PDB file of all heavy atoms in Angstrom:
ATOM      1  N   PRO A   1      -3.403 -24.579-250.518  1.00 92.00           N
ATOM      2  CA  PRO A   1      -3.717 -24.570-249.077  1.00 92.00           C
ATOM      3  C   PRO A   1      -4.982 -25.347-248.757  1.00 92.00           C
ATOM      4  O   PRO A   1      -5.909 -25.412-249.573  1.00 92.00           O
ATOM      5  CB  PRO A   1      -3.887 -23.081-248.754  1.00 92.00           C
ATOM      6  CG  PRO A   1      -4.214 -22.445-250.061  1.00 92.00           C
ATOM      7  CD  PRO A   1      -3.471 -23.231-251.102  1.00 92.00           C
ATOM      8  N   ILE A   2      -5.001 -25.926-247.590  1.00 92.00           N
ATOM      9  CA  ILE A   2      -6.142 -26.749-247.184  1.00 92.00           C
ATOM     10  C   ILE A   2      -7.435 -25.950-247.152  1.00 92.00           C
ATOM     11  O   ILE A   2      -8.518 -26.467-247.435  1.00 92.00           O
ATOM     12  CB  ILE A   2      -5.864 -27.412-245.811  1.00 92.00           C
ATOM     13  CG1 ILE A   2      -6.928 -28.481-245.525  1.00 92.00           C
ATOM     14  CG2 ILE A   2      -5.777 -26.375-244.699  1.00 92.00           C
ATOM     15  CD1 ILE A   2      -6.602 -29.328-244.294  1.00 92.00           C
ATOM     16  N   GLU A   3      -7.329 -24.665-246.850  1.00 91.00           N
ATOM     17  CA  GLU A   3      -8.526 -23.824-246.730  1.00 91.00           C
ATOM     18  C   GLU A   3      -9.291 -23.717-248.045  1.00 91.00           C
ATOM     19  O   GLU A   3     -10.504 -23.489-248.049  1.00 91.00           O
ATOM     20  CB  GLU A   3      -8.134 -22.411-246.263  1.00 91.00           C
ATOM     21  CG  GLU A   3      -7.643 -22.339-244.833  1.00 91.00           C
ATOM     22  CD  GLU A   3      -6.202 -22.792-244.676  1.00 91.00           C
ATOM     23  OE1 GLU A   3      -5.500 -22.910-245.721  1.00 91.00           O
ATOM     24  OE2 GLU A   3      -5.782 -23.028-243.530  1.00 91.00           O
ATOM     25  N   LYS A   4      -8.585 -23.905-249.181  1.00 88.00           N
ATOM     26  CA  LYS A   4      -9.233 -23.771-250.487  1.00 88.00           C
ATOM     27  C   LYS A   4      -9.767 -25.099-251.034  1.00 88.00           C
ATOM     28  O   LYS A   4     -10.353 -25.133-252.121  1.00 88.00           O
ATOM     29  CB  LYS A   4      -8.261 -23.165-251.491  1.00 88.00           C
ATOM     30  CG  LYS A   4      -7.910 -21.712-251.208  1.00 88.00           C
ATOM     31  CD  LYS A   4      -7.054 -21.134-252.323  1.00 88.00           C
ATOM     32  CE  LYS A   4      -6.738 -19.666-252.075  1.00 88.00           C
ATOM     33  NZ  LYS A   4      -5.915 -19.101-253.171  1.00 88.00           N
ATOM     34  N   GLN A   5      -9.551 -26.177-250.296  1.00 89.00           N
ATOM     35  CA  GLN A   5      -9.987 -27.491-250.758  1.00 89.00           C
ATOM     36  C   GLN A   5     -11.375 -27.811-250.221  1.00 89.00           C
ATOM     37  O   GLN A   5     -11.727 -27.410-249.116  1.00 89.00           O
ATOM     38  CB  GLN A   5      -8.998 -28.569-250.312  1.00 89.00           C
ATOM     39  CG  GLN A   5      -7.547 -28.255-250.617  1.00 89.00           C
ATOM     40  CD  GLN A   5      -7.279 -27.953-252.075  1.00 89.00           C
ATOM     41  OE1 GLN A   5      -7.848 -28.578-252.965  1.00 89.00           O
ATOM     42  NE2 GLN A   5      -6.414 -26.970-252.323  1.00 89.00           N
ATOM     43  N   LYS A   6     -12.120 -28.543-251.026  1.00 87.00           N
ATOM     44  CA  LYS A   6     -13.461 -28.958-250.612  1.00 87.00           C
ATOM     45  C   LYS A   6     -13.435 -30.394-250.093  1.00 87.00           C
ATOM     46  O   LYS A   6     -12.768 -31.262-250.658  1.00 87.00           O
ATOM     47  CB  LYS A   6     -14.446 -28.841-251.776  1.00 87.00           C
ATOM     48  CG  LYS A   6     -14.792 -27.403-252.145  1.00 87.00           C
ATOM     49  CD  LYS A   6     -15.869 -27.360-253.222  1.00 87.00           C
ATOM     50  CE  LYS A   6     -16.286 -25.935-253.528  1.00 87.00           C
ATOM     51  NZ  LYS A   6     -17.350 -25.864-254.564  1.00 87.00           N
ATOM     52  N   PHE A   7     -14.194 -30.614-249.016  1.00 87.00           N
ATOM     53  CA  PHE A   7     -14.310 -31.936-248.418  1.00 87.00           C
ATOM     54  C   PHE A   7     -15.765 -32.196-248.087  1.00 87.00           C
ATOM     55  O   PHE A   7     -16.568 -31.259-248.001  1.00 87.00           O
ATOM     56  CB  PHE A   7     -13.466 -32.016-247.131  1.00 87.00           C
ATOM     57  CG  PHE A   7     -12.021 -31.711-247.333  1.00 87.00           C
ATOM     58  CD1 PHE A   7     -11.546 -30.404-247.222  1.00 87.00           C
ATOM     59  CD2 PHE A   7     -11.133 -32.719-247.654  1.00 87.00           C
ATOM     60  CE1 PHE A   7     -10.200 -30.117-247.416  1.00 87.00           C
ATOM     61  CE2 PHE A   7      -9.783 -32.441-247.849  1.00 87.00           C
ATOM     62  CZ  PHE A   7      -9.319 -31.144-247.731  1.00 87.00           C
ATOM     63  N   LYS A   8     -16.097 -33.461-247.895  1.00 79.00           N
ATOM     64  CA  LYS A   8     -17.473 -33.791-247.527  1.00 79.00           C
ATOM     65  C   LYS A   8     -17.622 -33.694-246.019  1.00 79.00           C
ATOM     66  O   LYS A   8     -16.807 -34.217-245.268  1.00 79.00           O
ATOM     67  CB  LYS A   8     -17.842 -35.192-248.020  1.00 79.00           C
ATOM     68  CG  LYS A   8     -17.939 -35.278-249.542  1.00 79.00           C
ATOM     69  CD  LYS A   8     -18.616 -36.550-249.975  1.00 79.00           C
ATOM     70  CE  LYS A   8     -18.668 -36.624-251.496  1.00 79.00           C
ATOM     71  NZ  LYS A   8     -19.477 -35.559-252.084  1.00 79.00           N
ATOM     72  N   ASN A   9     -18.692 -33.044-245.590  1.00 76.00           N
ATOM     73  CA  ASN A   9     -18.955 -32.974-244.155  1.00 76.00           C
ATOM     74  C   ASN A   9     -19.781 -34.183-243.720  1.00 76.00           C
ATOM     75  O   ASN A   9     -20.028 -35.095-244.519  1.00 76.00           O
ATOM     76  CB  ASN A   9     -19.659 -31.660-243.790  1.00 76.00           C
ATOM     77  CG  ASN A   9     -21.004 -31.504-244.520  1.00 76.00           C
ATOM     78  OD1 ASN A   9     -21.540 -32.471-245.067  1.00 76.00           O
ATOM     79  ND2 ASN A   9     -21.538 -30.295-244.523  1.00 76.00           N
ATOM     80  N   SER A  10     -20.207 -34.216-242.482  1.00 72.00           N
ATOM     81  CA  SER A  10     -20.936 -35.373-241.946  1.00 72.00           C
ATOM     82  C   SER A  10     -22.260 -35.602-242.652  1.00 72.00           C
ATOM     83  O   SER A  10     -22.821 -36.688-242.608  1.00 72.00           O
ATOM     84  CB  SER A  10     -21.159 -35.205-240.439  1.00 72.00           C
ATOM     85  OG  SER A  10     -21.726 -33.941-240.162  1.00 72.00           O
ATOM     86  N   GLU A  11     -22.792 -34.559-243.318  1.00 75.00           N
ATOM     87  CA  GLU A  11     -24.050 -34.718-244.070  1.00 75.00           C
ATOM     88  C   GLU A  11     -23.809 -35.182-245.505  1.00 75.00           C
ATOM     89  O   GLU A  11     -24.750 -35.389-246.266  1.00 75.00           O
ATOM     90  CB  GLU A  11     -24.832 -33.391-244.110  1.00 75.00           C
ATOM     91  CG  GLU A  11     -25.525 -33.031-242.802  1.00 75.00           C
ATOM     92  CD  GLU A  11     -24.560 -32.431-241.799  1.00 75.00           C
ATOM     93  OE1 GLU A  11     -23.652 -31.672-242.202  1.00 75.00           O
ATOM     94  OE2 GLU A  11     -24.675 -32.758-240.608  1.00 75.00           O
ATOM     95  N   GLY A  12     -22.536 -35.312-245.877  1.00 74.00           N
ATOM     96  CA  GLY A  12     -22.220 -35.773-247.221  1.00 74.00           C
ATOM     97  C   GLY A  12     -22.164 -34.680-248.258  1.00 74.00           C
ATOM     98  O   GLY A  12     -22.112 -34.951-249.460  1.00 74.00           O
ATOM     99  N   ASN A  13     -22.150 -33.425-247.836  1.00 81.00           N
ATOM    100  CA  ASN A  13     -22.095 -32.294-248.762  1.00 81.00           C
ATOM    101  C   ASN A  13     -20.671 -31.784-248.923  1.00 81.00           C
ATOM    102  O   ASN A  13     -19.888 -31.783-247.970  1.00 81.00           O
ATOM    103  CB  ASN A  13     -22.984 -31.152-248.251  1.00 81.00           C
ATOM    104  CG  ASN A  13     -24.436 -31.578-248.110  1.00 81.00           C
ATOM    105  OD1 ASN A  13     -24.971 -32.269-248.983  1.00 81.00           O
ATOM    106  ND2 ASN A  13     -25.067 -31.193-247.017  1.00 81.00           N
ATOM    107  N   ASP A  14     -20.335 -31.334-250.158  1.00 84.00           N
ATOM    108  CA  ASP A  14     -19.020 -30.739-250.387  1.00 84.00           C
ATOM    109  C   ASP A  14     -18.980 -29.356-249.766  1.00 84.00           C
ATOM    110  O   ASP A  14     -19.892 -28.537-249.975  1.00 84.00           O
ATOM    111  CB  ASP A  14     -18.732 -30.630-251.889  1.00 84.00           C
ATOM    112  CG  ASP A  14     -18.370 -31.969-252.498  1.00 84.00           C
ATOM    113  OD1 ASP A  14     -17.769 -32.788-251.787  1.00 84.00           O
ATOM    114  OD2 ASP A  14     -18.707 -32.199-253.665  1.00 84.00           O
ATOM    115  N   ILE A  15     -17.926 -29.080-249.022  1.00 87.00           N
ATOM    116  CA  ILE A  15     -17.814 -27.812-248.318  1.00 87.00           C
ATOM    117  C   ILE A  15     -16.347 -27.430-248.184  1.00 87.00           C
ATOM    118  O   ILE A  15     -15.476 -28.299-248.045  1.00 87.00           O
ATOM    119  CB  ILE A  15     -18.482 -27.916-246.919  1.00 87.00           C
ATOM    120  CG1 ILE A  15     -18.483 -26.558-246.215  1.00 87.00           C
ATOM    121  CG2 ILE A  15     -17.819 -28.972-246.067  1.00 87.00           C
ATOM    122  CD1 ILE A  15     -19.296 -26.557-244.923  1.00 87.00           C
ATOM    123  N   LEU A  16     -16.032 -26.143-248.285  1.00 89.00           N
ATOM    124  CA  LEU A  16     -14.669 -25.683-248.100  1.00 89.00           C
ATOM    125  C   LEU A  16     -14.182 -26.015-246.688  1.00 89.00           C
ATOM    126  O   LEU A  16     -14.957 -25.946-245.733  1.00 89.00           O
ATOM    127  CB  LEU A  16     -14.572 -24.175-248.329  1.00 89.00           C
ATOM    128  CG  LEU A  16     -14.621 -23.687-249.783  1.00 89.00           C
ATOM    129  CD1 LEU A  16     -14.738 -22.166-249.819  1.00 89.00           C
ATOM    130  CD2 LEU A  16     -13.379 -24.135-250.550  1.00 89.00           C
ATOM    131  N   PHE A  17     -12.919 -26.340-246.583  1.00 88.00           N
ATOM    132  CA  PHE A  17     -12.357 -26.678-245.279  1.00 88.00           C
ATOM    133  C   PHE A  17     -12.598 -25.558-244.267  1.00 88.00           C
ATOM    134  O   PHE A  17     -12.898 -25.805-243.094  1.00 88.00           O
ATOM    135  CB  PHE A  17     -10.862 -26.954-245.407  1.00 88.00           C
ATOM    136  CG  PHE A  17     -10.207 -27.321-244.107  1.00 88.00           C
ATOM    137  CD1 PHE A  17     -10.249 -28.620-243.636  1.00 88.00           C
ATOM    138  CD2 PHE A  17      -9.556 -26.361-243.336  1.00 88.00           C
ATOM    139  CE1 PHE A  17      -9.650 -28.970-242.427  1.00 88.00           C
ATOM    140  CE2 PHE A  17      -8.952 -26.693-242.131  1.00 88.00           C
ATOM    141  CZ  PHE A  17      -9.006 -27.997-241.673  1.00 88.00           C
ATOM    142  N   SER A  18     -12.469 -24.321-244.727  1.00 86.00           N
ATOM    143  CA  SER A  18     -12.631 -23.168-243.831  1.00 86.00           C
ATOM    144  C   SER A  18     -14.042 -23.053-243.267  1.00 86.00           C
ATOM    145  O   SER A  18     -14.267 -22.358-242.273  1.00 86.00           O
ATOM    146  CB  SER A  18     -12.260 -21.876-244.564  1.00 86.00           C
ATOM    147  OG  SER A  18     -13.029 -21.739-245.747  1.00 86.00           O
ATOM    148  N   LYS A  19     -14.993 -23.758-243.888  1.00 86.00           N
ATOM    149  CA  LYS A  19     -16.394 -23.696-243.439  1.00 86.00           C
ATOM    150  C   LYS A  19     -16.774 -24.875-242.531  1.00 86.00           C
ATOM    151  O   LYS A  19     -17.869 -24.916-241.975  1.00 86.00           O
ATOM    152  CB  LYS A  19     -17.338 -23.694-244.650  1.00 86.00           C
ATOM    153  CG  LYS A  19     -17.072 -22.583-245.656  1.00 86.00           C
ATOM    154  CD  LYS A  19     -17.542 -21.236-245.151  1.00 86.00           C
ATOM    155  CE  LYS A  19     -17.422 -20.173-246.242  1.00 86.00           C
ATOM    156  NZ  LYS A  19     -17.845 -18.847-245.754  1.00 86.00           N
ATOM    157  N   ILE A  20     -15.883 -25.861-242.408  1.00 85.00           N
ATOM    158  CA  ILE A  20     -16.182 -27.044-241.594  1.00 85.00           C
ATOM    159  C   ILE A  20     -16.130 -26.675-240.110  1.00 85.00           C
ATOM    160  O   ILE A  20     -15.208 -25.989-239.655  1.00 85.00           O
ATOM    161  CB  ILE A  20     -15.187 -28.178-241.885  1.00 85.00           C
ATOM    162  CG1 ILE A  20     -15.257 -28.592-243.363  1.00 85.00           C
ATOM    163  CG2 ILE A  20     -15.476 -29.393-241.015  1.00 85.00           C
ATOM    164  CD1 ILE A  20     -14.221 -29.618-243.761  1.00 85.00           C
ATOM    165  N   THR A  21     -17.109 -27.152-239.364  1.00 83.00           N
ATOM    166  CA  THR A  21     -17.186 -26.813-237.937  1.00 83.00           C
ATOM    167  C   THR A  21     -17.046 -28.026-237.021  1.00 83.00           C
ATOM    168  O   THR A  21     -16.536 -27.898-235.907  1.00 83.00           O
ATOM    169  CB  THR A  21     -18.525 -26.112-237.631  1.00 83.00           C
ATOM    170  OG1 THR A  21     -19.610 -26.970-238.046  1.00 83.00           O
ATOM    171  CG2 THR A  21     -18.614 -24.783-238.363  1.00 83.00           C
ATOM    172  N   GLU A  22     -17.486 -29.195-237.480  1.00 86.00           N
ATOM    173  CA  GLU A  22     -17.416 -30.396-236.645  1.00 86.00           C
ATOM    174  C   GLU A  22     -15.964 -30.872-236.504  1.00 86.00           C
ATOM    175  O   GLU A  22     -15.224 -30.970-237.483  1.00 86.00           O
ATOM    176  CB  GLU A  22     -18.263 -31.524-237.249  1.00 86.00           C
ATOM    177  CG  GLU A  22     -19.754 -31.245-237.281  1.00 86.00           C
ATOM    178  CD  GLU A  22     -20.371 -31.232-235.890  1.00 86.00           C
ATOM    179  OE1 GLU A  22     -19.828 -31.934-235.002  1.00 86.00           O
ATOM    180  OE2 GLU A  22     -21.369 -30.518-235.702  1.00 86.00           O
ATOM    181  N   GLU A  23     -15.565 -31.190-235.269  1.00 86.00           N
ATOM    182  CA  GLU A  23     -14.179 -31.584-235.005  1.00 86.00           C
ATOM    183  C   GLU A  23     -13.787 -32.847-235.759  1.00 86.00           C
ATOM    184  O   GLU A  23     -12.684 -32.939-236.315  1.00 86.00           O
ATOM    185  CB  GLU A  23     -13.980 -31.804-233.502  1.00 86.00           C
ATOM    186  CG  GLU A  23     -12.524 -32.108-233.135  1.00 86.00           C
ATOM    187  CD  GLU A  23     -12.320 -32.235-231.631  1.00 86.00           C
ATOM    188  OE1 GLU A  23     -13.227 -31.861-230.868  1.00 86.00           O
ATOM    189  OE2 GLU A  23     -11.247 -32.722-231.247  1.00 86.00           O
ATOM    190  N   ASP A  24     -14.688 -33.844-235.808  1.00 84.00           N
ATOM    191  CA  ASP A  24     -14.390 -35.087-236.517  1.00 84.00           C
ATOM    192  C   ASP A  24     -14.202 -34.832-238.008  1.00 84.00           C
ATOM    193  O   ASP A  24     -13.342 -35.447-238.657  1.00 84.00           O
ATOM    194  CB  ASP A  24     -15.495 -36.117-236.304  1.00 84.00           C
ATOM    195  CG  ASP A  24     -15.432 -36.751-234.918  1.00 84.00           C
ATOM    196  OD1 ASP A  24     -14.407 -36.554-234.229  1.00 84.00           O
ATOM    197  OD2 ASP A  24     -16.405 -37.421-234.524  1.00 84.00           O
ATOM    198  N   ASP A  25     -15.025 -33.940-238.561  1.00 85.00           N
ATOM    199  CA  ASP A  25     -14.911 -33.609-239.975  1.00 85.00           C
ATOM    200  C   ASP A  25     -13.600 -32.887-240.269  1.00 85.00           C
ATOM    201  O   ASP A  25     -12.980 -33.086-241.318  1.00 85.00           O
ATOM    202  CB  ASP A  25     -16.092 -32.741-240.422  1.00 85.00           C
ATOM    203  CG  ASP A  25     -17.402 -33.505-240.432  1.00 85.00           C
ATOM    204  OD1 ASP A  25     -17.360 -34.746-240.422  1.00 85.00           O
ATOM    205  OD2 ASP A  25     -18.472 -32.860-240.437  1.00 85.00           O
ATOM    206  N   ILE A  26     -13.166 -32.039-239.346  1.00 88.00           N
ATOM    207  CA  ILE A  26     -11.895 -31.332-239.505  1.00 88.00           C
ATOM    208  C   ILE A  26     -10.739 -32.320-239.500  1.00 88.00           C
ATOM    209  O   ILE A  26      -9.834 -32.260-240.334  1.00 88.00           O
ATOM    210  CB  ILE A  26     -11.717 -30.282-238.383  1.00 88.00           C
ATOM    211  CG1 ILE A  26     -12.738 -29.149-238.560  1.00 88.00           C
ATOM    212  CG2 ILE A  26     -10.298 -29.728-238.384  1.00 88.00           C
ATOM    213  CD1 ILE A  26     -12.755 -28.154-237.425  1.00 88.00           C
ATOM    214  N   LYS A  27     -10.774 -33.280-238.564  1.00 89.00           N
ATOM    215  CA  LYS A  27      -9.716 -34.298-238.491  1.00 89.00           C
ATOM    216  C   LYS A  27      -9.683 -35.145-239.754  1.00 89.00           C
ATOM    217  O   LYS A  27      -8.615 -35.461-240.283  1.00 89.00           O
ATOM    218  CB  LYS A  27      -9.938 -35.194-237.271  1.00 89.00           C
ATOM    219  CG  LYS A  27      -9.645 -34.520-235.939  1.00 89.00           C
ATOM    220  CD  LYS A  27      -9.872 -35.506-234.793  1.00 89.00           C
ATOM    221  CE  LYS A  27      -9.567 -34.855-233.447  1.00 89.00           C
ATOM    222  NZ  LYS A  27      -9.806 -35.800-232.326  1.00 89.00           N
ATOM    223  N   SER A  28     -10.864 -35.508-240.230  1.00 88.00           N
ATOM    224  CA  SER A  28     -10.964 -36.334-241.431  1.00 88.00           C
ATOM    225  C   SER A  28     -10.408 -35.600-242.644  1.00 88.00           C
ATOM    226  O   SER A  28      -9.622 -36.158-243.416  1.00 88.00           O
ATOM    227  CB  SER A  28     -12.424 -36.722-241.668  1.00 88.00           C
ATOM    228  OG  SER A  28     -12.568 -37.462-242.850  1.00 88.00           O
ATOM    229  N   ALA A  29     -10.808 -34.346-242.800  1.00 89.00           N
ATOM    230  CA  ALA A  29     -10.342 -33.543-243.936  1.00 89.00           C
ATOM    231  C   ALA A  29      -8.835 -33.329-243.873  1.00 89.00           C
ATOM    232  O   ALA A  29      -8.134 -33.401-244.896  1.00 89.00           O
ATOM    233  CB  ALA A  29     -11.062 -32.205-243.959  1.00 89.00           C
ATOM    234  N   THR A  30      -8.322 -33.104-242.684  1.00 91.00           N
ATOM    235  CA  THR A  30      -6.881 -32.899-242.512  1.00 91.00           C
ATOM    236  C   THR A  30      -6.113 -34.155-242.884  1.00 91.00           C
ATOM    237  O   THR A  30      -5.050 -34.093-243.528  1.00 91.00           O
ATOM    238  CB  THR A  30      -6.564 -32.499-241.059  1.00 91.00           C
ATOM    239  OG1 THR A  30      -7.299 -31.312-240.727  1.00 91.00           O
ATOM    240  CG2 THR A  30      -5.073 -32.245-240.882  1.00 91.00           C
ATOM    241  N   ARG A  31      -6.630 -35.312-242.506  1.00 89.00           N
ATOM    242  CA  ARG A  31      -5.991 -36.586-242.844  1.00 89.00           C
ATOM    243  C   ARG A  31      -5.947 -36.776-244.368  1.00 89.00           C
ATOM    244  O   ARG A  31      -4.919 -37.188-244.925  1.00 89.00           O
ATOM    245  CB  ARG A  31      -6.761 -37.722-242.167  1.00 89.00           C
ATOM    246  CG  ARG A  31      -6.078 -39.059-242.217  1.00 89.00           C
ATOM    247  CD  ARG A  31      -6.570 -40.022-241.142  1.00 89.00           C
ATOM    248  NE  ARG A  31      -8.005 -40.007-240.981  1.00 89.00           N
ATOM    249  CZ  ARG A  31      -8.636 -39.758-239.822  1.00 89.00           C
ATOM    250  NH1 ARG A  31      -7.946 -39.499-238.725  1.00 89.00           N
ATOM    251  NH2 ARG A  31      -9.955 -39.769-239.747  1.00 89.00           N
ATOM    252  N   ILE A  32      -7.043 -36.494-245.025  1.00 89.00           N
ATOM    253  CA  ILE A  32      -7.111 -36.604-246.487  1.00 89.00           C
ATOM    254  C   ILE A  32      -6.099 -35.665-247.136  1.00 89.00           C
ATOM    255  O   ILE A  32      -5.339 -36.053-248.031  1.00 89.00           O
ATOM    256  CB  ILE A  32      -8.535 -36.267-246.986  1.00 89.00           C
ATOM    257  CG1 ILE A  32      -9.535 -37.325-246.531  1.00 89.00           C
ATOM    258  CG2 ILE A  32      -8.553 -36.126-248.509  1.00 89.00           C
ATOM    259  CD1 ILE A  32     -10.988 -36.916-246.744  1.00 89.00           C
ATOM    260  N   TYR A  33      -6.083 -34.447-246.683  1.00 91.00           N
ATOM    261  CA  TYR A  33      -5.220 -33.415-247.265  1.00 91.00           C
ATOM    262  C   TYR A  33      -3.748 -33.773-247.087  1.00 91.00           C
ATOM    263  O   TYR A  33      -2.955 -33.700-248.042  1.00 91.00           O
ATOM    264  CB  TYR A  33      -5.530 -32.074-246.604  1.00 91.00           C
ATOM    265  CG  TYR A  33      -4.640 -30.944-247.055  1.00 91.00           C
ATOM    266  CD1 TYR A  33      -4.838 -30.317-248.287  1.00 91.00           C
ATOM    267  CD2 TYR A  33      -3.596 -30.483-246.251  1.00 91.00           C
ATOM    268  CE1 TYR A  33      -4.024 -29.270-248.703  1.00 91.00           C
ATOM    269  CE2 TYR A  33      -2.776 -29.446-246.650  1.00 91.00           C
ATOM    270  CZ  TYR A  33      -2.991 -28.841-247.878  1.00 91.00           C
ATOM    271  OH  TYR A  33      -2.193 -27.801-248.286  1.00 91.00           O
ATOM    272  N   ASN A  34      -3.380 -34.179-245.896  1.00 92.00           N
ATOM    273  CA  ASN A  34      -1.974 -34.496-245.627  1.00 92.00           C
ATOM    274  C   ASN A  34      -1.486 -35.661-246.484  1.00 92.00           C
ATOM    275  O   ASN A  34      -0.358 -35.649-246.999  1.00 92.00           O
ATOM    276  CB  ASN A  34      -1.776 -34.817-244.145  1.00 92.00           C
ATOM    277  CG  ASN A  34      -1.884 -33.584-243.264  1.00 92.00           C
ATOM    278  OD1 ASN A  34      -1.754 -32.455-243.741  1.00 92.00           O
ATOM    279  ND2 ASN A  34      -2.120 -33.786-241.971  1.00 92.00           N
ATOM    280  N   ALA A  35      -2.328 -36.684-246.642  1.00 90.00           N
ATOM    281  CA  ALA A  35      -1.950 -37.836-247.481  1.00 90.00           C
ATOM    282  C   ALA A  35      -1.785 -37.415-248.937  1.00 90.00           C
ATOM    283  O   ALA A  35      -0.867 -37.868-249.632  1.00 90.00           O
ATOM    284  CB  ALA A  35      -3.005 -38.935-247.356  1.00 90.00           C
TER     285      ALA A  35
END
């Protein structure tokens, strides 16, 4: 599940998807995950 995957936020830090708050970061992570 996407919630268990880590992505980089706008500050460049690895963070769980469930912890991401910025809309652009959410869209970016979702695009990565879907691909």
